[in-house]
Amino acid sequence: MNEQIKCPVCGKAGIPDYHKENVVCSCCGTDLSIYKMLSDSQEQSTPNNTNSKIREITVAALAAIAIIVIVVLCILRQIDISNARSELKKENTFLRDSVATLASKLEEANKGIESLEKQIEKAPSSENIYIVKKNDSPCKISWKLYGTESRYKEIEAVITKPLQPGDTLKLK
């Protein structure tokens, strides 16, 4: 089958194949080289099997690299979490030891206080020691110690300066 090629502009038959070479129509004078350029560009844009395979391999390689990177990042994160856990365990052990040490020191201090209280109880009570509290006055102290305010003069006799909370008074 020998098909004749027609000019796409005027329709004249029998012109050379303008898809394969630059042609000027002898009837209408149209330069048909643009059609050859379009044909050439279509052939170049159609991927051949070699380029297609290279693209597929490249995409697969990039996907594999991305998966490997994600796996490595997950492993590194797990390592960081493990390190953080071990650090927290160390800190927890240190704090537990510190609490135990403080508890033993508190127990020793309480024993010392009990011992001092026993010594105070055993000491001869020829003198009473009173520790002044906030808003104390000689009358209030007399009431607390003797049950009456009438002995306030005995308390005034041992006061050498204005009363302040924490002062000690030695009373007979």
Side-chain angles (χ1 to χ4, degrees), residues 88-101:
L88 286 175
K89 284 180 183 177
K90 287 178 188 175
E91 287 180 31
N92 190 14
T93 303
F94 173 75
L95 291 174
R96 192 177 296 130
D97 292 345
S98 297
V99 168
T101 303

Side-chain angles (χ1 to χ4, degrees), residues 135-151:
N135 297 324
D136 269 350
S137 68
C139 289
K140 288 181 182 178
I141 295 171
S142 175
W143 179 258
K144 288 178 187 176
L145 294 177
Y146 308 119
T148 179
E149 292 180 358
S150 64
R151 294 180 67 182

